[in-house]
Amino acid sequence: MGLRALIITNAAGGINTEYRPGALVLIRDHINLQGQIPLVGPNDERFGPRFPDLTRCYSKSLRAIAHSAAKELGSNLAEGTYVAMLGPNYETPAEIRYLRSIGADLVGMSTVPEAIAAAHMGIKVLAISCVTNMAAGILDTRLRQEEVFETTERVRNQFAALLRAVIPGVAAHVA
Ligand code: HPA
């Protein structure tokens, strides 16, 4: 299709206790714990190599573009490592403690397969998480699906504004 850049958004649980629900965080790197990889099976060399490098899966230059767009809107974006779980259940508190210990800042159930497929094809990836809730066991409350939707509703205009500000810069960068 000739795609040169992909912007991925998701809802994620915050593992890093510096984050607050509603925060928008740029994904800098990921840990894939889904037990699945979209490239398994015969490789189509027209798309990319058999053993693709993921050292720069999340483009530093696209992140820089997102940081300046956020600054122009008067906000600051954190960066973090996203761990992909298979789901569909949310994690246990013990799993969250484990995920923090291996370097995860955010947890979710998406994004990583898409980012791997894009990286394989040489498509630059910008991935932005909306922290919809603190991950299990961080607060003394249960996780509620409604909280996830409530937070996305609350942040939706800010998130849309960020995307509107980011897209022209991304397009120019890969033109
Ligand atoms: N865990 C996994 N996926 C999620 C979460 C979470 O806490 N919040 C939103 N998506």
Side-chain angles (χ1 to χ4, degrees), residues 50-156:
R50 172 72 294 185
F51 300 107
D53 170 37
L54 294 186
T55 310
R56 297 185 180 158
C57 189
Y58 301 91
S59 163
K60 197 170 179 174
S61 30
L62 295 193
R63 274 183 279 136
I65 289 166
H67 281 302
S68 27
K71 203 162 277 172
E72 274 178 27
L73 297 172
S75 61
N76 266 313
L77 301 173
E79 291 195 6
T81 295
Y82 175 95
V83 59
M85 304 294 281
L86 190 57
N89 60 280
Y90 292 121
E91 300 69 37
T92 64
E95 286 168 343
I96 295 303
R97 289 194 299 277
Y98 162 69
L99 296 173
R100 178 181 298 118
S101 79
I102 62 171
D105 299 300
L106 302 151
V107 58
M109 309 171 193
S110 67
T111 301
V112 163
E114 297 91 320
I116 292 174
H120 177 240
M121 288 184 269
I123 296 175
K124 285 183 189 292
V125 176
L126 175 68
I128 312 173
S129 286
C130 171
V131 177
T132 52
N133 56 282
M134 295 316 289
I138 293 182
L139 305 174
D140 193 22
T141 54
R142 301 172 65 138
L143 296 199
R144 294 178 309 114
Q145 180 72 61
E146 298 76 49
E147 184 189 5
V148 172
F149 291 133
E150 283 159 17
T151 308
T152 54
E153 201 56 50
R154 179 159 63 78
V155 177
R156 124 193 243 146

